[in-house]
Amino acid sequence: MTRHTWQVWAIYMVLAANLSREQELKQTCPSCDTTEICNCSSMGLDLIPPGLTAKTTVLNLAHNRIKHIRSQDLWHAVNLRALLLQSNKINSIDEDSFRSLGKLELLDLSNNSLAHLSPMWFGHLFSLQHLHLQGNSYRDLGQSSLFSTLRNLSSLHLGNPWFSTIRQGNFEGIVRLDKLWIDGGNLSQYEPGSLELIRKINHMIMNIRSINIVSAIVRDLLHSVAWLEVRKIDLNIPAEMQLLRVMASSFANKISFKQTLVTDATVPEVVSILADMPKLEEIEFIDCRLLGTGQWKMQIHVNQSQTVKVLTIEKLSIEQFYLFTDLQNVQGLISLLTKITVENTKVFLVPCKLSQHLRSLEYLDLSSNLLGDQGLKHSACQGGWPLLQTLNLSQNSLSDLEMTGKSLSHLRHLVLLDISQNNFGEIPDVCDWPKTLKYLNLSSTQIPKVTTCIPSTLEVLDVSANNLKEFGLQLPFLKELYLTRNQLKTLPGAASVPNLVAMSVRRNKLNSFSKEELEGAQVGAVHLSLMECHRSLVVSLICTLVFLVILALVAIGYKYHVVWYLRMTWAWLRAKRKPKRAPPKDLCYDAFVSYSENDSDWVENIMVRELEQACPPFRLCLHKRDFVPGKWIVDNIIDSIEKSHKTLFVLSEHFVQSEWCKYELDFSHFRLFDENNDAAILILLEPIQSQAIPKRFCKLRKIMNTKTYLEWPLEEEQQGMFWFNLKIALKS
């Protein structure tokens, strides 16, 4: 056999092996066939799927039954950026299993059965930024550092119910961290100095019950931690509080207590420690419990903190809240606070003297409480909250709008007032309000009509989700008006809101609107569906051409439909004739975004901000912002897809009901899917039942069965992973 024949045979064998590996991977995990994001979660897998190639950048194997990771399992996945292995049954990993993953940025091994951790696993993960090791069964981190080679590590999450020991040298090599989370509810041994080598930690989370251990860790990190968060600790023994005095020397500028227990006996010492912290600016108590009624067993004798400006209390549980005192003993400590949030804590009254001591307060959030009309009158007494600019009283027990306005009328600096989700019902014709009020939220307050009780000084008014059938107020300064989810049949007259620039009227009963209704208005955003606009145009034409006979109207209507269909067919044929993508030099955008108008709030306020403010930023093409004015919309769609590297489809129930979204999908199908490439990215904004997808969306059914899509998670802690996966997909 000649040398040339041997070379051909070798090449054939390599190609055959690659094809065989990809075929095997496709059979094990179909979503890995065509995309770089390989989602094999919750598929009952016992092993890492064979056949992984360099094409894969994200591999999700969470929630399977994998027990062992072998050396060869990930050998070919050299471009992997994220590897998700959480919630399996992994109890062993070969030491060189991750050797080829030099580009890996995220590794999640949480909630498995690892009884020990080996530094050999991480020896070649030079690009690793996020490492999750919590929820395993190891009792310590070994005798030396696991992380000495991880120079780019940004966040580290470790610990479990059996985690008991931290030794000196365990964190050697780590200089800076954005987040360090130690889950050590039963941590019993901490060698002083173990964390001292870390010079900077932006956010330190400790789930540690032992006050001794907490004290030792805080001592090591006095000058390192910017935000210190303590979870699930009981501060109920006064004698133990002296151990926390070291916290008074911490240079942290924010401290949080979550799921923490405090008592009347220990509150004075906690307040004293916090007041002595030299750089503390913000204090949080979230989902905590207070045993007592505010009758401190010892007087609080501390100097007022000159640095603390922000206090947040959310879901504070006080069993006998109705017996709580007037907090007279802390009145002298609060005069410099500028922002206070007390949310979902059963507050029914703020003592007048306490309000009068809040002399610097600019922001107050009392949402989701029990504040009634009389309680508000007493809380916002004369001299109380003198500098207040923003007040949130949403989801309380207010029922008299006239009394609410009168109680707040003396606040000379109040600009923003949120009293949504109260039950006002009928409102009077005249009310007294602060002269400076510019923003008022009255959404979901059961009001059947708006009257001149609404202050004329407003620039923003939200009366969404009420029972309004008309809106005719004279609001000369109004710039934004939100009327979503009412019973309106006509739009507000333009003359009554001459300075309006944005108006939302979605989910009303609008059948038509005339040119006269909008004449002179500077409306920048009126959210009407395409069908509503089309119907209104037809009605206006009928009214204008009423003298024409029915036959003439039918002929004209038929004529315009024919023209429309001809233009659509021509655009269709043009899209079909251009199967090749534009050359790279003609690409202007990273992605064209196809979405329903009903989903514009999520796309324009969340996704656009996350992607276009990323580092480096992505450039998105949105029809509202980037379509050429005056150009036919179908031509705009085709040109935008031609000039975009990717096409992002934001799928929802609204998407599948939109005719324009169908056209964008069809044109993208001709340009992208028929080429069998990865230029389309599907984002599932909400679950879509298969029976809810109309038959005309046959291509969408086909695409969803053959392509992986990203699902938008409602849980905030999972949204970071969603953005990470989306950015990886856009970069590919």
Side-chain angles (χ1 to χ4, degrees), residues 250-286:
S250 171
F251 277 60
N253 53 46
K254 179 177 180 179
I255 187 165
S256 301
F257 293 95
K258 293 188 178 180
Q259 296 174 278
T260 299
L261 173 68
V262 292
T263 68
D264 279 350
T266 57
V267 164
E269 187 65 25
V270 173
V271 173
S272 174
I273 292 170
L274 298 178
D276 289 342
M277 293 178 68
K279 292 190 176 182
L280 188 63
E281 299 176 1
E282 184 174 353
I283 303 171
E284 283 185 344
F285 289 91
I286 298 177

Side-chain angles (χ1 to χ4, degrees), residues 319-338:
E319 292 182 5
Q320 295 179 312
F321 68 94
Y322 46 85
L323 297 176
F324 207 72
T325 66
D326 59 3
L327 294 174
Q328 184 174 358
N329 19 15
V330 298
Q331 290 175 2
L333 303 175
I334 61 176
S335 61
L336 296 180
L337 292 176
T338 60

Side-chain angles (χ1 to χ4, degrees), residues 543-721:
C543 293
T544 305
L545 305 174
V546 68
F547 59 93
L548 296 178
V549 296
I550 296 177
L551 184 60
L553 287 174
V554 171
I556 292 173
Y558 179 77
K559 177 182 177 182
Y560 279 100
H561 279 296
V562 169
V563 172
W564 191 90
Y565 279 116
L566 287 174
R567 295 180 69 186
M568 179 61 71
T569 303
W570 174 242
W572 198 290
L573 292 173
R574 285 169 53 205
K576 193 69 174 175
R577 280 207 316 265
K578 296 190 294 185
K580 300 221 179 255
R581 295 176 60 180
K585 62 184 180 63
D586 294 335
L587 296 178
C588 303
Y589 304 98
D590 291 299
F592 168 71
V593 185
S594 175
Y595 62 99
S596 167
E597 185 62 37
N598 291 281
D599 302 321
S600 60
D601 185 66
W602 183 88
V603 172
E604 297 164 14
N605 296 329
I606 297 179
M607 187 181 77
V608 170
R609 182 183 61 205
E610 180 71 24
L611 295 180
E612 293 193 341
Q613 295 181 10
C615 185
F618 295 91
R619 185 166 184 202
L620 303 181
C621 179
L622 305 181
H623 65 268
K624 281 186 181 179
R625 183 183 64 190
D626 301 306
F627 276 11
V628 178
K631 192 174 185 179
W632 194 39
I633 188 171
V634 173
D635 290 333
N636 266 317
I637 292 172
I638 296 174
D639 290 344
S640 298
I641 293 175
E642 288 276 344
K643 295 177 181 178
S644 300
H645 179 58
K646 299 278 187 179
T647 302
L648 267 173
F649 291 99
V650 181
L651 305 180
S652 67
E653 296 285 353
H654 300 301
F655 183 99
V656 299
Q657 299 300 324
S658 170
E659 201 64 29
W660 286 114
C661 291
K662 177 181 183 296
Y663 296 141
E664 291 170 1
L665 189 68
D666 286 341
F667 294 139
S668 298
H669 187 273
F670 294 141
R671 301 288 299 117
L672 305 169
F673 298 128
D674 287 347
E675 297 176 18
N676 194 28
N677 59 34
D678 298 325
I681 302 172
L682 308 183
I683 296 176
L684 192 60
L685 197 58
E686 61 184 6
I688 303 177
Q689 301 295 330
S690 58
Q691 58 267 27
I693 303 178
K695 292 182 178 179
R696 67 180 185 276
F697 273 80
C698 57
K699 290 187 176 65
L700 178 58
R701 295 172 181 266
K702 175 184 176 183
I703 294 164
M704 291 186 69
N705 288 331
T706 58
K707 286 191 171 286
T708 303
Y709 50 84
L710 298 174
E711 295 186 41
W712 170 248
L714 297 179
E715 295 80 10
E716 187 175 355
E717 60 270 16
Q718 297 181 18
Q719 291 174 7
M721 176 55 58

Side-chain angles (χ1 to χ4, degrees), residues 355-416:
S355 295
Q356 291 171 342
H357 276 81
L358 292 168
R359 292 186 290 271
S360 303
L361 193 65
E362 298 176 358
Y363 177 99
L364 177 60
D365 184 348
L366 294 173
S367 58
S368 303
N369 283 295
L370 303 175
L371 201 64
D373 298 314
Q374 293 296 331
L376 177 60
K377 180 180 179 181
H378 185 83
S379 302
C381 58
Q382 288 293 329
W385 312 334
L387 298 180
L388 192 65
Q389 299 177 18
T390 300
L391 178 59
N392 187 348
L393 299 173
S394 62
Q395 204 169 342
N396 274 274
S397 300
L398 302 175
S399 59
D400 190 330
L401 190 60
E402 181 179 12
M403 190 172 180
T404 298
K406 187 175 181 180
S407 299
L408 303 175
S409 60
H410 68 280
L411 300 178
R412 294 181 297 172
H413 299 279
L414 190 65
V415 175
L416 187 152

